[in-house]
């Protein structure tokens, strides 16, 4: 599997990246870890005449936690997410999710920036970013801007990012309460058949706040506001969990593929969400 | 478009320079340009791990790295871990515990295991299984691979203690 030929660039500052993107338009793509893009190029499902490697750009590989806000540079790998004690303390759901992505070798290379910017519905971090109500930081020739993760995804591989923009970081308020990322997959390394990201906080024995998002069950990640609302004020009892699952099921729109027919995916979605809510509540 | 670029790689401590198209995969540069044939081409789709090498301190599947990205990198392959006259402790233990049958996955398996033990010198059986989850073996059923890695870990730790 040999990809089409391309010109390779390794600029050392973001201005150089933006200039190349501006010059080559949609003939150019940036590459971080490359573990989504390279397989697509090898299959010739993606043709990238101008490949811009971000590895030499400084300032994209830090994790900062200050004033209750977590900010993660785009080039931070899943491996680094797993091994950051500081991040685990501030947002343990990040580690729990990252451990369920692909396999060890892929996690050394795969980055949070690539995972969220690529727009692949199978990626796990976009769903998690919905759950955490994260913000995506973009730079482009028209300057910097910040987009809510919940407004970023338009369709499979289609996002709000312009061709000459680069996603440089994600940020979110450090979550409070219990958490869970639950993923059903056929084997290690597979994308989710269904996955759920849940954060729940407890107030006086009841659910104070709840945020629920689903992965690979529509052509975009799905934040189910109604599913979270179904839990608020309840004791997270069986009936409330069932109501949350029912609400979630009316927000997703899975399609049949080699991971199963629609009915099976809806069934799996309900199971993973039930488990994720139970685990998050037990930790709240 | 198909212009070749000048590539520098340090492989197993030795500097190499050659011309390659940017799109060439690292595994082919190693095997066909440098004649370093320890890492194998298994699936060539990032699944099987037979092509695993260590690049700048990370275990990577060299079928999913363009040689252009690896330009300037330090790479370690199975050849850099041991040789027939001086086997690496992992190689000794794979031999001792019959951690292979056909042997095709073994270079990637051992290269990955070496990195795993470097990061976690006292792994549990579950740690080992999770740590080699990116390496597929279609012969052994993994039982003896896990045994070999755990045994190598205790041997390495005993040697470390004896040295202190």
């Amino acid at each position: 599997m040999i990809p089409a030929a391309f010109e390779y660039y390794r600029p050392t500052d973001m201005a150089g990246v933006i200039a190349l993107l501006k010059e080559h338009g949609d003939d150019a793509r940036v590459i971080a870890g490359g573990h989504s893009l390279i397989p697509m190029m090898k299959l010739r499902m993606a043709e990238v005449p101008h490949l811009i490697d971000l590895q030499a750009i400084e300032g994209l590989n830090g994790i900062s936690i200050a004033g209750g806000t977590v900010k993660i540079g785009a080039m931070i790998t899943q491996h680094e997410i797993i091994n950051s004690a500081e991040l685990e303390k501030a947002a343990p759901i990040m580690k729990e999710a990252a451990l369920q992505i692909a396999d060890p070798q892929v996690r050394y290379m795969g980055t949070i920036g690539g995972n969220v910017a690529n727009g692949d519905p199978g990626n796990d971090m976009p769903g998690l970013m919905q759950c955490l109500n994260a913000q995506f930081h973009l730079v482009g020739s028209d300057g910097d801007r910040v987009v809510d993760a919940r407004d970023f995804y338009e369709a499979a591989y289609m996002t709000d990012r312009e061709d000459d923009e680069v996603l440089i970081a994600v940020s979110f308020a450090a979550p409070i309460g219990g958490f869970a990322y639950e993923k059903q997959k056929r084997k290690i390394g597979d994308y989710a058949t269904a996955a759920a990201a849940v954060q729940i906080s407890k107030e006086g024995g009841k659910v104070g706040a709840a945020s629920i998002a689903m992965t690979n069950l529509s052509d975009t990640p799905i934040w189910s506001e109604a599913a979270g609302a179904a839990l608020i004020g309840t004791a997270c009892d069986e009936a409330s969990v069932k109501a949350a699952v029912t609400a979630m099921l009316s927000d997703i729109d899975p399609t049949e593929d080699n991971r199963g027919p629609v009915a099976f995916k809806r069934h799996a979605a309900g199971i993973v969400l039930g488990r994720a809510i139970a685990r998050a509540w037990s930790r709240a | 478009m198909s212009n070749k670029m000048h590539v520098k790689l340090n492989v197993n401590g030795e500097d190499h320079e050659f011309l390659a198209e940017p799109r060439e995969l690292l595994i082919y540069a190693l095997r066909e340009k440098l004649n370093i044939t320890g890492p194998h081409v298994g699936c060539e789709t990032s699944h099987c791990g037979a092509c695993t090498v260590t690049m700048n301190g990370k275990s990577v599947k060299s079928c999913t790295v363009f040689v252009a990205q690896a330009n300037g990198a330090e790479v370690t392959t199975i050849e850099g871990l041991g040789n027939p006259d001086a086997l690496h402790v992992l190689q000794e233990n794979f031999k001792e515990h019959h951690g292979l049958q056909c042997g095709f996955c073994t270079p990637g398996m051992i290269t990955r295991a070496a990195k795993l033990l470097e990061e976690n010198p006292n792994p549990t059986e579950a740690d080992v299984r999770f740590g080699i989850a990116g390496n597929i073996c279609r012969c052994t059923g993994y039982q003896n691979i896990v045994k070999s890695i755990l045994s190598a870990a205790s041997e390495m730790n005993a040697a470390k203690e004896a040295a202190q």
Side-chain angles (χ1 to χ4, degrees), chain B residues 79-158:
Chain B
E79 288 90 341
L81 294 178
N83 64 63
D85 298 322
L87 292 180
H88 186 277
V89 58
L90 275 160
Q91 292 171 313
E92 284 284 2
N93 276 280
F94 270 66
K95 184 178 152 194
E96 182 64 26
H97 296 282
H98 198 53
L100 62 144
Q101 287 177 31
C102 86
F104 192 84
C105 72
T106 314
M109 198 66 87
I110 290 181
T111 309
R112 170 62 199 137
K115 186 70 203 164
L116 171 67
L117 295 186
E118 187 188 315
E119 290 180 353
N120 179 4
N122 289 297
T124 62
E125 181 184 332
D127 292 339
V128 169
R129 288 185 182 275
F130 195 68
I132 61 165
N135 294 75
I136 292 173
C137 170
R138 293 284 88 136
C139 304
T140 63
Y142 302 97
Q143 205 64 24
N144 287 352
I145 292 176
V146 174
K147 210 191 277 179
S148 306
I149 296 171
L150 287 170
S151 166
S154 30
E155 218 172 281
M156 287 160 91
N157 289 334

Side-chain angles (χ1 to χ4, degrees), chain A residues 36-251:
Chain A
S36 297
L37 185 57
I38 294 173
M40 297 288 276
M41 290 172 70
K42 286 165 72 179
L43 292 165
R44 300 210 177 199
M45 288 164 74
E47 205 189 320
V48 183
H50 299 275
L51 189 68
I52 307 165
D53 192 339
L54 298 179
Q55 68 169 282
I57 310 290
E58 280 179 34
L60 300 183
N61 43 15
I63 297 175
S64 74
I65 297 160
T69 299
V70 177
K71 192 169 184 183
I72 306 174
M75 292 293 278
I76 288 289
T77 63
Q78 312 299 351
H79 181 80
E80 289 167 324
I81 286 172
I82 291 164
N83 288 287
S84 167
E86 200 189 10
L87 182 60
E88 184 179 3
K89 207 171 149 208
I93 195 170
M94 293 294 294
K95 177 177 180 173
E96 182 158 298
L99 279 167
Q100 297 178 66
I101 294 174
D103 64 41
Q105 285 93 319
V106 175
R107 291 193 292 266
Y108 281 103
M109 294 298 283
T111 63
I112 180 137
N115 199 285
V116 302
N118 195 37
D120 185 337
N123 286 351
D124 293 285
M125 287 294 172
L128 181 47
M129 294 297 116
Q130 312 295 304
C131 173
L132 295 172
N133 196 15
Q135 297 191 304
F136 294 165
H137 301 255
L138 303 165
V139 298
S141 54
D142 291 335
D144 304 357
R145 67 188 179 108
V146 176
V147 183
D148 284 344
R150 291 176 187 168
D151 295 331
F152 187 71
Y153 297 97
E154 294 166 354
Y157 302 103
M158 310 249 306
T159 68
D160 186 53
R161 188 186 62 81
E162 300 293 337
D163 283 340
D164 64 351
E165 285 183 317
V166 181
L167 189 149
I168 57 161
V170 306
S171 66
F172 50 86
I176 49 165
F179 66 93
Y181 192 79
E182 177 78 21
K183 178 175 177 177
Q184 168 65 43
K185 55 186 173 180
R186 299 172 302 177
K187 60 176 268 291
I188 286 273
D190 193 18
Y191 292 110
T193 303
V198 175
Q199 286 278 165
I200 296 178
S201 64
K202 196 188 259 185
E203 279 166 31
K206 306 268 190 200
V207 174
S211 181
I212 290 172
M214 308 300 291
T215 293
N216 217 12
L217 292 160
S218 288
D219 65 350
T220 62
I222 294 295
W223 177 60
S224 179
E225 190 174 6
L231 294 178
I232 293 170
T234 74
C236 222
D237 50 281
E238 204 179 314
S240 327
V241 173
K242 206 172 163 192
V245 167
T246 304
M248 175 278 290
L249 288 173
S250 54
D251 284 342

Side-chain angles (χ1 to χ4, degrees), chain A residues 1-6 8 10 31 35 38 42 44 49 53 55 79 99 103-105 107-109 187-188, chain B residues 1 22-23 25 44-45 52 58-61 63-64 66 68-69 71 112 115 119 130-131 133-135:
Chain A
M1 292 200 300
I2 300 167
F6 54 82
Y8 174 83
R10 196 188 288 184
I31 186 167
H35 276 49
I38 294 173
K42 286 165 72 179
R44 300 210 177 199
D53 192 339
Q55 68 169 282
H79 181 80
L99 279 167
D103 64 41
Q105 285 93 319
R107 291 193 292 266
Y108 281 103
M109 294 298 283
K187 60 176 268 291
I188 286 273
Chain B
M1 284 298 292
R23 62 175 165 170
L25 300 170
E44 217 211 24
T45 54
T52 299
K58 301 167 168 190
S59 288
V60 302
K61 295 181 175 178
C63 76
T64 310
F66 291 129
Q69 296 172 283
N71 190 11
R112 170 62 199 137
K115 186 70 203 164
E119 290 180 353
F130 195 68
N135 294 75

